[in-house]
Amino acid sequence: MRLKTFSAPTMTEAMALVKEHMGSDAIIVSTQDIPGTGVRLTAALDRDPDLDFDIADQGPPGHQELFDHAQEALLRHNLPERLRLRLCDLMGRESGATTAQQLLASALDEIFDFSPLPEKNTPRALAFVGPPGCGKTLAVAKTAARAVMKKRKVAVLTTDYKRAGGVAQLEAFTRILNINLSLVKTPEEFKAQFARMRDADMVLVDTASCNPYVDADIKALGDFMSVVPSEPVLVNPAGIDADECADIANAFADCGVARMVISRLDVASRLGGALYGADSGNLSLCNVSMTAQVADGLTAISPVALAKLLIPSHRAENAKPSFSEVVK
């Protein structure tokens, strides 16, 4: 794959340059408006499947080595081509990095928004939403545990009363943390319970699983959340198909989701699908769930922390970074 960037006063002129230099088979990877100058357009063309960039375009040998290391990591994590090429384009322009992690972190920072969950969220409820089995209940328990450790007053509600064992699972966590758990079945109950919790530092909601492919389910979730000041946060697991993650993210974005937690990093080794989901749904990356231990809480994510997950230091080929490495 050969990648090349063109600048021109207008999009029409930039497209003409692409056709002139790369032919009609070129794929447009990214476009950027340059104030006072025009547009910058990046296009890709199949050449050598093992080489995404012309070596001559990548600066001095030291930079090329960092670039190759970072690109190998993106390939290993199965990032879809369009997202991978956008990251590679940005890494190709970066000249100040001294490690592959730094090089990748700078590119991640350009593409993704990073917005960790707040330590206090009232007067809004923080509701964890997502498809079946994504890890919502564990995310609620981890967030509650971290808040209790910081001496916050926490209230927890659940709407997941139909799933067998759903309430019992969360009740086991909240009992250990000495937090009362309230069950709500209707929007009216939700509104009434929330009104009683105004003195809490955090109000956390474990929602029932929602099928992202059933519009009625998405609408019902949005209507439920709208009865109180709330922020729905998507929990999307690592290690699943990229297009599936994108469909899930786009569906939940329609009911007001703006942030995404990546879950199940303890049992998944590839993050490409989850990252593609966040990018497709235009969702901020906030936190990740790296272990099954409730006391570890959710780990706030940043460009550097994400780069560490994608390119572990001193790793074996398939090793993953430890919890302590990422939170440093």
Side-chain angles (χ1 to χ4, degrees), residues 1 7 11 20 48 62 67 88 99 109 142 158 166 170-171 174 177 190 221 237 243 251 270 281 306 319 325:
M1 184 73 66
S7 297
M11 181 61 70
E20 178 185 349
D48 183 343
F67 179 90
C88 286
T99 68
D109 196 24
K142 285 187 164 205
T158 181
L170 186 56
E171 191 173 36
T174 54
L177 296 170
F190 186 26
L221 176 63
D243 289 330
R270 291 173 177 81
L306 181 54
E325 284 180 313

Side-chain angles (χ1 to χ4, degrees), residues 38-326:
V39 298
R40 178 183 292 130
L41 186 152
T42 301
L45 184 66
D46 283 330
R47 283 291 183 267
D48 183 343
D50 297 320
L51 184 63
D52 280 354
F53 279 73
D54 289 333
I55 293 177
D57 293 338
Q58 299 312 311
H63 182 275
Q64 178 65 39
E65 184 178 350
L66 300 181
F67 179 90
D68 288 345
H69 189 185
Q71 183 180 223
E72 286 171 8
L74 298 181
L75 288 166
R76 188 170 60 252
H77 283 276
N78 289 343
L79 267 76
E81 185 177 59
R82 286 183 178 273
L83 177 55
R84 178 169 56 83
L85 290 178
R86 286 165 59 202
L87 287 166
C88 286
D89 179 35
L90 291 166
M91 290 191 297
R93 302 180 198 177
E94 171 61 43
S95 60
T98 58
T99 68
Q101 287 180 343
Q102 290 177 4
L103 185 66
L104 180 54
S106 67
L108 293 168
D109 196 24
E110 289 286 331
I111 289 180
F112 294 99
D113 180 62
F114 294 84
S115 179
L117 296 176
E119 294 188 359
K120 293 183 179 182
N121 67 293
T122 51
R124 293 189 303 171
L126 202 62
F128 291 88
V129 303
C134 66
K136 297 183 296 295
T137 300
L138 184 58
V140 169
K142 285 187 164 205
T143 305
R146 182 65 59 87
V148 168
M149 290 177 187
K150 294 186 176 182
K151 310 299 182 183
R152 313 291 191 207
K153 185 175 182 181
V154 182
V156 178
L157 302 94
T158 181
T159 71
D160 192 15
Y161 63 93
K162 291 183 179 180
R163 178 171 62 95
V167 174
Q169 180 187 10
L170 186 56
E171 191 173 36
F173 291 134
T174 54
R175 187 185 305 115
I176 294 171
L177 296 170
N178 197 28
I179 299 172
N180 290 327
L181 174 64
S182 299
L183 173 64
V184 293
K185 297 183 178 181
T186 66
E188 293 73 25
E189 290 180 359
F190 186 26
K191 188 174 182 179
Q193 288 285 6
F194 180 76
R196 299 187 187 103
M197 298 172 172
R198 292 299 180 91
D199 61 337
D201 296 315
M202 297 196 79
V203 178
L204 305 175
V205 185
D206 183 23
T207 65
S209 295
C210 178
N211 188 334
Y213 298 104
V214 177
D215 291 341
D217 283 9
I218 293 293
K219 184 180 185 304
L221 176 63
D223 291 345
F224 200 98
M225 290 295 104
S226 68
V227 301
V228 305
S230 62
E231 180 189 354
V233 178
L234 174 62
V235 181
N236 217 357
I240 66 174
D241 178 77
D243 289 330
E244 200 78 43
C245 274
D247 289 345
I248 292 169
N250 280 301
F252 282 96
D254 289 341
C255 69
V257 167
R259 289 194 261 200
M260 188 179 95
V261 171
I262 302 177
S263 63
R264 296 173 56 182
L265 283 177
D266 52 326
V267 293
S269 60
R270 291 173 177 81
L271 280 72
L275 295 182
Y276 186 63
D279 183 53
S280 299
N282 197 28
L283 304 182
S284 298
L285 293 170
C286 55
N287 295 68
V288 296
S289 179
M290 294 189 60
T291 77
Q293 302 302 314
V294 171
D296 286 336
L298 296 177
T299 304
I301 200 70
S302 66
V304 172
L306 181 54
K308 288 180 179 180
L309 287 170
L310 294 167
I311 311 176
S313 300
H314 310 296
R315 61 167 178 81
E317 181 60 28
N318 293 313
K320 290 186 287 186
S322 67
F323 173 77
S324 59
E325 284 180 313
V326 173

